Amino acid sequence: MCPMVGMQLFRIVMGGICLWASALGSIGAQDVAALPLSTEFPELLRGREGGTVHDVAGWKSFRKAEIRELVERYMYGIRPAARPVRGVLIREDAGALGGKAILREVAVEMGLERPVHVMVVLPKSVSGKVPAFLGINFSGNYALVDDPKVALPEGWVYDRYTKGTTGRASEEARGSQREAWSIERTVERGYAVVTFYNGDVVPDRADLAEPVLARLGGWTGERSMEGTGTLMAWAWAFSRVMDYLETVPEIDAARVATVGHSRNGKTALLAAAMDERFAMAIPSQSGQGGVGPIRVAADLAKISEKGRPKAETVAVITKSFPHWFAKRFSSFAAEPERVPFDQHALVALCAPRPVLVSNAVEDVWANPAGQWEVLKAAGGVYALFGVEGLPKGPEPEVGKLFAGRLGYFVRPGGHAMTGVDWAAWLDYADVHLKRP
Ligand code: GTR
């Protein structure tokens, strides 16, 4: 008999193995405190109520759903339901990037207060459907290209991307993220780039975010312990943009990679973990809440004289950015070892699809070493699918791209998205995305 522990259980019998699938009941604060402490990453192939997964069928029908539910209810909040999407073409320039590309600005209506402004840049040199990078940006699309016509975002923007104005986009920032995004080179390599501004979905400031999250989740008053957080809302928007991309004839919707840097990198991983239509994920320097482990190694988690750990912890991130996560996640600030999964679970939800984890040596805050451990630990689920995750044996080498199904790249330098990163990402995509 499989054990039965105070939850609704139903039995799945598969190839002679007994598995118990659990629908988690309501979770109270006392339940969080009663969760077992585990300094190791919790096992991916063992269900919470016992029962081990031995094959892809067991993974898909039981453990994957269980992990998804845990990830939503303990960390990012409930994923909103899909909504009908409509893309309205605002403008098309058939001679963009010096004649190399077609650039479209599209208002994608997804049931938010305003449509999300999506920029689609298509290579002209390729005939037939092209693979695409779908990236979420910090600045508004107008900062990513040198093009006087691309519209400015209408709502709140981060001060560091405004070049002088406060809280509103300004002409001075036009083209300022061009190097970071390298769109011209990507198009030259035969890929489309599709991008949208995170603030078009949910503005990244707690006081502005909460009312938007409430509208999206359909509640009034305070967000509940598992009400949708901002990262989940942004990831949901990735899927709505994908709904639109499925209608774009030039794009091969079966070959779309999610991309984002830092908080947007956390989102790029979550988007692919939640939606199997994405063929690949490239989370850049995503750290805590992304590929960074919840269980930060003791030497990195230790608070220095400056009052900070070396790598970002659950305690720090949930205090600085409460609107990013489900409120319940902050209950783990003092004891992250009680979270019933770690971020290897999020990578495993992407299996067997390729995930390239990108880092920078000096960005210790994002915990590159921990991210490598997370990737190694996700390998067991890739093995179920008969594919190797990270290659066995070697340790990360600065400047070297590991182009396995689970890929890793760490470059010299600090916290930024750069042309060097894109060069590695394109090489990786050439291996996993371009070839059918
Ligand atoms: C930092 C935060 C990180 C990362 C980063 C960013 O302040 O601690 O988790 O998300 O911001 O997005 O630039």
PDB file of all heavy atoms in Angstrom, residues 138 158 160-161 204 231 234 261-266 285-289 308 312 316-317 320-321 324-325 363 365-366 415, ligand 1:
ATOM      1  N   PHE A 138      13.424  45.625 -20.171  1.00  0.00           N
ATOM      2  CA  PHE A 138      13.297  46.515 -19.013  1.00  0.00           C
ATOM      3  C   PHE A 138      12.908  47.943 -19.385  1.00  0.00           C
ATOM      4  O   PHE A 138      12.649  48.747 -18.503  1.00  0.00           O
ATOM      5  CB  PHE A 138      14.677  46.667 -18.344  1.00  0.00           C
ATOM      6  CG  PHE A 138      15.108  45.546 -17.457  1.00  0.00           C
ATOM      7  CD1 PHE A 138      15.969  44.560 -17.916  1.00  0.00           C
ATOM      8  CD2 PHE A 138      14.698  45.499 -16.132  1.00  0.00           C
ATOM      9  CE1 PHE A 138      16.402  43.545 -17.082  1.00  0.00           C
ATOM     10  CE2 PHE A 138      15.132  44.488 -15.296  1.00  0.00           C
ATOM     11  CZ  PHE A 138      15.985  43.506 -15.762  1.00  0.00           C
ATOM     12  N   TYR A 158      11.177  52.267 -15.314  1.00  0.00           N
ATOM     13  CA  TYR A 158      12.260  52.347 -14.315  1.00  0.00           C
ATOM     14  C   TYR A 158      13.077  53.629 -14.561  1.00  0.00           C
ATOM     15  O   TYR A 158      13.440  53.918 -15.702  1.00  0.00           O
ATOM     16  CB  TYR A 158      13.249  51.196 -14.497  1.00  0.00           C
ATOM     17  CG  TYR A 158      12.706  49.800 -14.377  1.00  0.00           C
ATOM     18  CD1 TYR A 158      12.178  49.143 -15.487  1.00  0.00           C
ATOM     19  CD2 TYR A 158      12.788  49.103 -13.169  1.00  0.00           C
ATOM     20  CE1 TYR A 158      11.726  47.835 -15.390  1.00  0.00           C
ATOM     21  CE2 TYR A 158      12.332  47.790 -13.078  1.00  0.00           C
ATOM     22  CZ  TYR A 158      11.806  47.159 -14.189  1.00  0.00           C
ATOM     23  OH  TYR A 158      11.369  45.881 -14.089  1.00  0.00           O
ATOM     24  N   ARG A 160      16.156  54.137 -14.123  1.00  0.00           N
ATOM     25  CA  ARG A 160      17.475  53.935 -14.729  1.00  0.00           C
ATOM     26  C   ARG A 160      17.412  53.755 -16.248  1.00  0.00           C
ATOM     27  O   ARG A 160      18.427  53.760 -16.920  1.00  0.00           O
ATOM     28  CB  ARG A 160      18.240  52.804 -14.061  1.00  0.00           C
ATOM     29  CG  ARG A 160      17.693  51.424 -14.273  1.00  0.00           C
ATOM     30  CD  ARG A 160      18.480  50.440 -13.429  1.00  0.00           C
ATOM     31  NE  ARG A 160      17.588  49.473 -12.827  1.00  0.00           N
ATOM     32  CZ  ARG A 160      17.718  48.171 -12.971  1.00  0.00           C
ATOM     33  NH1 ARG A 160      18.701  47.675 -13.669  1.00  0.00           N
ATOM     34  NH2 ARG A 160      16.862  47.364 -12.405  1.00  0.00           N
ATOM     35  N   TYR A 161      16.222  53.587 -16.807  1.00  0.00           N
ATOM     36  CA  TYR A 161      16.114  53.480 -18.267  1.00  0.00           C
ATOM     37  C   TYR A 161      15.521  54.731 -18.908  1.00  0.00           C
ATOM     38  O   TYR A 161      15.231  54.745 -20.094  1.00  0.00           O
ATOM     39  CB  TYR A 161      15.294  52.254 -18.659  1.00  0.00           C
ATOM     40  CG  TYR A 161      16.028  50.987 -18.321  1.00  0.00           C
ATOM     41  CD1 TYR A 161      15.732  50.286 -17.165  1.00  0.00           C
ATOM     42  CD2 TYR A 161      17.064  50.532 -19.134  1.00  0.00           C
ATOM     43  CE1 TYR A 161      16.437  49.146 -16.823  1.00  0.00           C
ATOM     44  CE2 TYR A 161      17.778  49.398 -18.794  1.00  0.00           C
ATOM     45  CZ  TYR A 161      17.453  48.710 -17.634  1.00  0.00           C
ATOM     46  OH  TYR A 161      18.163  47.597 -17.294  1.00  0.00           O
ATOM     47  N   ASP A 204       6.861  47.316 -12.408  1.00  0.00           N
ATOM     48  CA  ASP A 204       7.714  46.658 -11.419  1.00  0.00           C
ATOM     49  C   ASP A 204       7.934  47.524 -10.176  1.00  0.00           C
ATOM     50  O   ASP A 204       9.067  47.822  -9.802  1.00  0.00           O
ATOM     51  CB  ASP A 204       9.051  46.301 -12.089  1.00  0.00           C
ATOM     52  CG  ASP A 204       9.861  45.341 -11.251  1.00  0.00           C
ATOM     53  OD1 ASP A 204       9.358  44.890 -10.202  1.00  0.00           O
ATOM     54  OD2 ASP A 204      11.002  45.048 -11.642  1.00  0.00           O
ATOM     55  N   LEU A 231       6.285  37.947 -11.229  1.00  0.00           N
ATOM     56  CA  LEU A 231       7.052  37.089 -12.144  1.00  0.00           C
ATOM     57  C   LEU A 231       6.112  36.132 -12.872  1.00  0.00           C
ATOM     58  O   LEU A 231       6.261  35.887 -14.079  1.00  0.00           O
ATOM     59  CB  LEU A 231       8.127  36.294 -11.389  1.00  0.00           C
ATOM     60  CG  LEU A 231       9.232  37.103 -10.698  1.00  0.00           C
ATOM     61  CD1 LEU A 231      10.141  36.168  -9.890  1.00  0.00           C
ATOM     62  CD2 LEU A 231      10.073  37.899 -11.684  1.00  0.00           C
ATOM     63  N   TRP A 234       4.232  38.075 -15.568  1.00  0.00           N
ATOM     64  CA  TRP A 234       5.075  38.314 -16.756  1.00  0.00           C
ATOM     65  C   TRP A 234       5.204  37.017 -17.581  1.00  0.00           C
ATOM     66  O   TRP A 234       5.162  37.048 -18.810  1.00  0.00           O
ATOM     67  CB  TRP A 234       6.461  38.814 -16.349  1.00  0.00           C
ATOM     68  CG  TRP A 234       6.509  40.211 -15.775  1.00  0.00           C
ATOM     69  CD1 TRP A 234       5.550  41.188 -15.882  1.00  0.00           C
ATOM     70  CD2 TRP A 234       7.579  40.782 -15.005  1.00  0.00           C
ATOM     71  NE1 TRP A 234       5.974  42.327 -15.229  1.00  0.00           N
ATOM     72  CE2 TRP A 234       7.203  42.114 -14.673  1.00  0.00           C
ATOM     73  CE3 TRP A 234       8.807  40.309 -14.546  1.00  0.00           C
ATOM     74  CZ2 TRP A 234       8.034  42.958 -13.926  1.00  0.00           C
ATOM     75  CZ3 TRP A 234       9.633  41.157 -13.806  1.00  0.00           C
ATOM     76  CH2 TRP A 234       9.244  42.465 -13.493  1.00  0.00           C
ATOM     77  N   HIS A 261      16.901  38.876 -18.971  1.00  0.00           N
ATOM     78  CA  HIS A 261      18.064  39.086 -18.113  1.00  0.00           C
ATOM     79  C   HIS A 261      17.607  39.418 -16.696  1.00  0.00           C
ATOM     80  O   HIS A 261      16.701  40.228 -16.496  1.00  0.00           O
ATOM     81  CB  HIS A 261      18.902  40.235 -18.682  1.00  0.00           C
ATOM     82  CG  HIS A 261      20.040  40.636 -17.809  1.00  0.00           C
ATOM     83  ND1 HIS A 261      21.124  39.811 -17.587  1.00  0.00           N
ATOM     84  CD2 HIS A 261      20.260  41.753 -17.080  1.00  0.00           C
ATOM     85  CE1 HIS A 261      21.974  40.428 -16.760  1.00  0.00           C
ATOM     86  NE2 HIS A 261      21.461  41.592 -16.439  1.00  0.00           N
ATOM     87  N   SER A 262      18.265  38.782 -15.731  1.00  0.00           N
ATOM     88  CA  SER A 262      18.051  39.085 -14.321  1.00  0.00           C
ATOM     89  C   SER A 262      16.602  38.808 -13.893  1.00  0.00           C
ATOM     90  O   SER A 262      16.145  37.687 -14.061  1.00  0.00           O
ATOM     91  CB  SER A 262      18.452  40.533 -14.066  1.00  0.00           C
ATOM     92  OG  SER A 262      18.803  40.672 -12.739  1.00  0.00           O
ATOM     93  N   ARG A 263      15.821  39.802 -13.416  1.00  0.00           N
ATOM     94  CA  ARG A 263      14.422  39.475 -13.054  1.00  0.00           C
ATOM     95  C   ARG A 263      13.684  38.984 -14.294  1.00  0.00           C
ATOM     96  O   ARG A 263      12.792  38.157 -14.217  1.00  0.00           O
ATOM     97  CB  ARG A 263      13.733  40.679 -12.415  1.00  0.00           C
ATOM     98  CG  ARG A 263      13.539  41.845 -13.322  1.00  0.00           C
ATOM     99  CD  ARG A 263      13.327  43.134 -12.542  1.00  0.00           C
ATOM    100  NE  ARG A 263      14.563  43.551 -11.885  1.00  0.00           N
ATOM    101  CZ  ARG A 263      14.660  44.595 -11.067  1.00  0.00           C
ATOM    102  NH1 ARG A 263      13.622  45.332 -10.807  1.00  0.00           N
ATOM    103  NH2 ARG A 263      15.825  44.903 -10.508  1.00  0.00           N
ATOM    104  N   ASN A 264      14.082  39.481 -15.430  1.00  0.00           N
ATOM    105  CA  ASN A 264      13.465  39.010 -16.678  1.00  0.00           C
ATOM    106  C   ASN A 264      13.979  37.612 -17.048  1.00  0.00           C
ATOM    107  O   ASN A 264      13.314  36.875 -17.779  1.00  0.00           O
ATOM    108  CB  ASN A 264      13.728  40.002 -17.805  1.00  0.00           C
ATOM    109  CG  ASN A 264      12.975  41.308 -17.607  1.00  0.00           C
ATOM    110  OD1 ASN A 264      11.968  41.335 -16.908  1.00  0.00           O
ATOM    111  ND2 ASN A 264      13.461  42.383 -18.212  1.00  0.00           N
ATOM    112  N   GLY A 265      15.168  37.265 -16.549  1.00  0.00           N
ATOM    113  CA  GLY A 265      15.703  35.911 -16.739  1.00  0.00           C
ATOM    114  C   GLY A 265      14.930  34.905 -15.892  1.00  0.00           C
ATOM    115  O   GLY A 265      14.657  33.775 -16.317  1.00  0.00           O
ATOM    116  N   LYS A 266      14.580  35.329 -14.677  1.00  0.00           N
ATOM    117  CA  LYS A 266      13.742  34.475 -13.822  1.00  0.00           C
ATOM    118  C   LYS A 266      12.455  34.178 -14.600  1.00  0.00           C
ATOM    119  O   LYS A 266      11.943  33.056 -14.630  1.00  0.00           O
ATOM    120  CB  LYS A 266      13.384  35.199 -12.511  1.00  0.00           C
ATOM    121  CG  LYS A 266      14.579  35.769 -11.718  1.00  0.00           C
ATOM    122  CD  LYS A 266      14.102  36.488 -10.448  1.00  0.00           C
ATOM    123  CE  LYS A 266      15.063  37.547  -9.891  1.00  0.00           C
ATOM    124  NZ  LYS A 266      16.397  37.194  -9.567  1.00  0.00           N
ATOM    125  N   GLN A 285      21.685  35.397 -16.058  1.00  0.00           N
ATOM    126  CA  GLN A 285      22.025  35.908 -14.722  1.00  0.00           C
ATOM    127  C   GLN A 285      20.766  36.029 -13.851  1.00  0.00           C
ATOM    128  O   GLN A 285      20.506  37.062 -13.248  1.00  0.00           O
ATOM    129  CB  GLN A 285      22.757  37.249 -14.884  1.00  0.00           C
ATOM    130  CG  GLN A 285      24.080  37.039 -15.622  1.00  0.00           C
ATOM    131  CD  GLN A 285      24.802  38.326 -15.992  1.00  0.00           C
ATOM    132  OE1 GLN A 285      25.029  38.603 -17.158  1.00  0.00           O
ATOM    133  NE2 GLN A 285      25.173  39.107 -15.008  1.00  0.00           N
ATOM    134  N   SER A 286      20.005  34.946 -13.840  1.00  0.00           N
ATOM    135  CA  SER A 286      18.665  34.999 -13.255  1.00  0.00           C
ATOM    136  C   SER A 286      18.658  34.893 -11.730  1.00  0.00           C
ATOM    137  O   SER A 286      17.738  35.371 -11.084  1.00  0.00           O
ATOM    138  CB  SER A 286      17.799  33.888 -13.849  1.00  0.00           C
ATOM    139  OG  SER A 286      18.352  32.620 -13.568  1.00  0.00           O
ATOM    140  N   GLY A 287      19.681  34.267 -11.148  1.00  0.00           N
ATOM    141  CA  GLY A 287      19.833  34.245  -9.685  1.00  0.00           C
ATOM    142  C   GLY A 287      18.627  33.727  -8.917  1.00  0.00           C
ATOM    143  O   GLY A 287      17.824  32.944  -9.434  1.00  0.00           O
ATOM    144  N   GLN A 288      18.512  34.197  -7.675  1.00  0.00           N
ATOM    145  CA  GLN A 288      17.422  33.762  -6.777  1.00  0.00           C
ATOM    146  C   GLN A 288      16.070  34.027  -7.450  1.00  0.00           C
ATOM    147  O   GLN A 288      15.856  35.100  -8.024  1.00  0.00           O
ATOM    148  CB  GLN A 288      17.528  34.526  -5.452  1.00  0.00           C
ATOM    149  CG  GLN A 288      16.542  34.093  -4.398  1.00  0.00           C
ATOM    150  CD  GLN A 288      16.701  32.643  -3.956  1.00  0.00           C
ATOM    151  OE1 GLN A 288      15.854  31.794  -4.239  1.00  0.00           O
ATOM    152  NE2 GLN A 288      17.794  32.338  -3.268  1.00  0.00           N
ATOM    153  N   GLY A 289      15.200  33.037  -7.433  1.00  0.00           N
ATOM    154  CA  GLY A 289      13.918  33.175  -8.125  1.00  0.00           C
ATOM    155  C   GLY A 289      14.000  32.732  -9.574  1.00  0.00           C
ATOM    156  O   GLY A 289      12.993  32.646 -10.268  1.00  0.00           O
ATOM    157  N   ARG A 308      24.949  42.196   4.232  1.00  0.00           N
ATOM    158  CA  ARG A 308      24.384  41.502   3.064  1.00  0.00           C
ATOM    159  C   ARG A 308      25.038  40.139   2.872  1.00  0.00           C
ATOM    160  O   ARG A 308      26.226  39.987   3.157  1.00  0.00           O
ATOM    161  CB  ARG A 308      24.700  42.312   1.804  1.00  0.00           C
ATOM    162  CG  ARG A 308      23.564  43.180   1.308  1.00  0.00           C
ATOM    163  CD  ARG A 308      24.089  44.239   0.367  1.00  0.00           C
ATOM    164  NE  ARG A 308      24.521  43.707  -0.935  1.00  0.00           N
ATOM    165  CZ  ARG A 308      23.780  43.745  -2.034  1.00  0.00           C
ATOM    166  NH1 ARG A 308      22.585  44.269  -2.003  1.00  0.00           N
ATOM    167  NH2 ARG A 308      24.230  43.273  -3.174  1.00  0.00           N
ATOM    168  N   GLU A 312      22.173  36.365  -3.404  1.00  0.00           N
ATOM    169  CA  GLU A 312      20.833  36.754  -2.947  1.00  0.00           C
ATOM    170  C   GLU A 312      20.083  35.546  -2.350  1.00  0.00           C
ATOM    171  O   GLU A 312      20.084  34.458  -2.922  1.00  0.00           O
ATOM    172  CB  GLU A 312      20.043  37.336  -4.117  1.00  0.00           C
ATOM    173  CG  GLU A 312      18.783  38.052  -3.678  1.00  0.00           C
ATOM    174  CD  GLU A 312      18.138  38.836  -4.821  1.00  0.00           C
ATOM    175  OE1 GLU A 312      18.292  38.431  -5.988  1.00  0.00           O
ATOM    176  OE2 GLU A 312      17.467  39.842  -4.530  1.00  0.00           O
ATOM    177  N   VAL A 316      16.314  38.037   1.512  1.00  0.00           N
ATOM    178  CA  VAL A 316      16.600  39.345   0.900  1.00  0.00           C
ATOM    179  C   VAL A 316      15.612  39.641  -0.219  1.00  0.00           C
ATOM    180  O   VAL A 316      15.037  40.730  -0.293  1.00  0.00           O
ATOM    181  CB  VAL A 316      18.062  39.374   0.374  1.00  0.00           C
ATOM    182  CG1 VAL A 316      18.321  40.645  -0.427  1.00  0.00           C
ATOM    183  CG2 VAL A 316      19.043  39.256   1.525  1.00  0.00           C
ATOM    184  N   ILE A 317      15.414  38.681  -1.097  1.00  0.00           N
ATOM    185  CA  ILE A 317      14.606  38.966  -2.292  1.00  0.00           C
ATOM    186  C   ILE A 317      13.141  39.209  -1.937  1.00  0.00           C
ATOM    187  O   ILE A 317      12.481  40.073  -2.524  1.00  0.00           O
ATOM    188  CB  ILE A 317      14.777  37.842  -3.348  1.00  0.00           C
ATOM    189  CG1 ILE A 317      14.442  38.387  -4.747  1.00  0.00           C
ATOM    190  CG2 ILE A 317      13.923  36.619  -3.066  1.00  0.00           C
ATOM    191  CD1 ILE A 317      14.861  37.461  -5.887  1.00  0.00           C
ATOM    192  N   SER A 320      12.971  42.767  -0.520  1.00  0.00           N
ATOM    193  CA  SER A 320      13.156  43.855  -1.502  1.00  0.00           C
ATOM    194  C   SER A 320      12.052  43.878  -2.548  1.00  0.00           C
ATOM    195  O   SER A 320      11.694  44.939  -3.035  1.00  0.00           O
ATOM    196  CB  SER A 320      14.484  43.700  -2.253  1.00  0.00           C
ATOM    197  OG  SER A 320      15.515  43.301  -1.430  1.00  0.00           O
ATOM    198  N   PHE A 321      11.567  42.720  -2.942  1.00  0.00           N
ATOM    199  CA  PHE A 321      10.621  42.654  -4.064  1.00  0.00           C
ATOM    200  C   PHE A 321       9.409  41.790  -3.703  1.00  0.00           C
ATOM    201  O   PHE A 321       9.183  40.740  -4.310  1.00  0.00           O
ATOM    202  CB  PHE A 321      11.319  42.080  -5.311  1.00  0.00           C
ATOM    203  CG  PHE A 321      12.574  42.813  -5.694  1.00  0.00           C
ATOM    204  CD1 PHE A 321      13.827  42.294  -5.396  1.00  0.00           C
ATOM    205  CD2 PHE A 321      12.509  44.037  -6.365  1.00  0.00           C
ATOM    206  CE1 PHE A 321      14.991  42.974  -5.748  1.00  0.00           C
ATOM    207  CE2 PHE A 321      13.662  44.717  -6.719  1.00  0.00           C
ATOM    208  CZ  PHE A 321      14.908  44.186  -6.411  1.00  0.00           C
ATOM    209  N   TRP A 324       7.058  40.335  -6.407  1.00  0.00           N
ATOM    210  CA  TRP A 324       7.495  39.378  -7.439  1.00  0.00           C
ATOM    211  C   TRP A 324       6.926  37.977  -7.211  1.00  0.00           C
ATOM    212  O   TRP A 324       6.767  37.200  -8.145  1.00  0.00           O
ATOM    213  CB  TRP A 324       9.026  39.268  -7.453  1.00  0.00           C
ATOM    214  CG  TRP A 324       9.734  40.423  -8.105  1.00  0.00           C
ATOM    215  CD1 TRP A 324       9.154  41.526  -8.670  1.00  0.00           C
ATOM    216  CD2 TRP A 324      11.145  40.579  -8.269  1.00  0.00           C
ATOM    217  NE1 TRP A 324      10.127  42.356  -9.171  1.00  0.00           N
ATOM    218  CE2 TRP A 324      11.350  41.807  -8.939  1.00  0.00           C
ATOM    219  CE3 TRP A 324      12.254  39.814  -7.907  1.00  0.00           C
ATOM    220  CZ2 TRP A 324      12.628  42.271  -9.272  1.00  0.00           C
ATOM    221  CZ3 TRP A 324      13.526  40.280  -8.229  1.00  0.00           C
ATOM    222  CH2 TRP A 324      13.711  41.494  -8.903  1.00  0.00           C
ATOM    223  N   PHE A 325       6.688  37.641  -5.953  1.00  0.00           N
ATOM    224  CA  PHE A 325       6.372  36.245  -5.590  1.00  0.00           C
ATOM    225  C   PHE A 325       5.001  36.137  -4.927  1.00  0.00           C
ATOM    226  O   PHE A 325       4.430  37.134  -4.497  1.00  0.00           O
ATOM    227  CB  PHE A 325       7.425  35.729  -4.594  1.00  0.00           C
ATOM    228  CG  PHE A 325       8.822  35.731  -5.154  1.00  0.00           C
ATOM    229  CD1 PHE A 325       9.689  36.778  -4.895  1.00  0.00           C
ATOM    230  CD2 PHE A 325       9.243  34.696  -5.986  1.00  0.00           C
ATOM    231  CE1 PHE A 325      10.974  36.786  -5.439  1.00  0.00           C
ATOM    232  CE2 PHE A 325      10.519  34.706  -6.534  1.00  0.00           C
ATOM    233  CZ  PHE A 325      11.388  35.757  -6.254  1.00  0.00           C
ATOM    234  N   ASP A 363      29.258  38.433 -11.157  1.00  0.00           N
ATOM    235  CA  ASP A 363      27.884  38.558 -10.650  1.00  0.00           C
ATOM    236  C   ASP A 363      27.589  37.453  -9.637  1.00  0.00           C
ATOM    237  O   ASP A 363      26.742  36.579  -9.854  1.00  0.00           O
ATOM    238  CB  ASP A 363      26.890  38.519 -11.818  1.00  0.00           C
ATOM    239  CG  ASP A 363      25.460  38.818 -11.372  1.00  0.00           C
ATOM    240  OD1 ASP A 363      25.275  39.231 -10.206  1.00  0.00           O
ATOM    241  OD2 ASP A 363      24.542  38.642 -12.189  1.00  0.00           O
ATOM    242  N   TRP A 365      26.186  37.738  -6.856  1.00  0.00           N
ATOM    243  CA  TRP A 365      24.823  37.929  -6.325  1.00  0.00           C
ATOM    244  C   TRP A 365      23.833  36.960  -6.976  1.00  0.00           C
ATOM    245  O   TRP A 365      22.914  36.458  -6.346  1.00  0.00           O
ATOM    246  CB  TRP A 365      24.409  39.385  -6.582  1.00  0.00           C
ATOM    247  CG  TRP A 365      23.150  39.843  -5.919  1.00  0.00           C
ATOM    248  CD1 TRP A 365      22.011  40.255  -6.541  1.00  0.00           C
ATOM    249  CD2 TRP A 365      22.897  39.984  -4.518  1.00  0.00           C
ATOM    250  NE1 TRP A 365      21.071  40.636  -5.619  1.00  0.00           N
ATOM    251  CE2 TRP A 365      21.584  40.474  -4.364  1.00  0.00           C
ATOM    252  CE3 TRP A 365      23.657  39.729  -3.371  1.00  0.00           C
ATOM    253  CZ2 TRP A 365      21.009  40.719  -3.120  1.00  0.00           C
ATOM    254  CZ3 TRP A 365      23.078  39.971  -2.129  1.00  0.00           C
ATOM    255  CH2 TRP A 365      21.781  40.448  -2.022  1.00  0.00           C
ATOM    256  N   ALA A 366      24.058  36.687  -8.283  1.00  0.00           N
ATOM    257  CA  ALA A 366      23.165  35.758  -9.014  1.00  0.00           C
ATOM    258  C   ALA A 366      23.592  34.293  -8.829  1.00  0.00           C
ATOM    259  O   ALA A 366      22.965  33.395  -9.380  1.00  0.00           O
ATOM    260  CB  ALA A 366      23.128  36.112 -10.497  1.00  0.00           C
ATOM    261  N   HIS A 415      27.179  42.162 -13.929  1.00  0.00           N
ATOM    262  CA  HIS A 415      25.739  41.993 -14.137  1.00  0.00           C
ATOM    263  C   HIS A 415      25.242  42.835 -15.313  1.00  0.00           C
ATOM    264  O   HIS A 415      24.997  44.036 -15.164  1.00  0.00           O
ATOM    265  CB  HIS A 415      25.019  42.391 -12.850  1.00  0.00           C
ATOM    266  CG  HIS A 415      23.584  42.028 -12.821  1.00  0.00           C
ATOM    267  ND1 HIS A 415      23.157  40.719 -12.781  1.00  0.00           N
ATOM    268  CD2 HIS A 415      22.453  42.775 -12.850  1.00  0.00           C
ATOM    269  CE1 HIS A 415      21.838  40.685 -12.762  1.00  0.00           C
ATOM    270  NE2 HIS A 415      21.388  41.925 -12.811  1.00  0.00           N
TER     271      HIS A 415
HETATM  272  C1  GTR B   1      18.442  42.859  -8.170  1.00  0.00           C
HETATM  273  C2  GTR B   1      17.780  41.644  -7.588  1.00  0.00           C
HETATM  274  C3  GTR B   1      18.056  40.459  -8.447  1.00  0.00           C
HETATM  275  C4  GTR B   1      17.909  40.755  -9.915  1.00  0.00           C
HETATM  276  C5  GTR B   1      18.287  42.147 -10.313  1.00  0.00           C
HETATM  277  C6  GTR B   1      17.771  42.631 -11.663  1.00  0.00           C
HETATM  278  O1  GTR B   1      18.285  43.985  -7.390  1.00  0.00           O
HETATM  279  O2  GTR B   1      18.305  41.456  -6.318  1.00  0.00           O
HETATM  280  O3  GTR B   1      17.243  39.398  -8.032  1.00  0.00           O
HETATM  281  O4  GTR B   1      16.630  40.475 -10.331  1.00  0.00           O
HETATM  282  O5  GTR B   1      17.855  43.082  -9.420  1.00  0.00           O
HETATM  283  O6  GTR B   1      16.703  42.246 -12.121  1.00  0.00           O
HETATM  284  O7  GTR B   1      18.457  43.468 -12.250  1.00  0.00           O
END
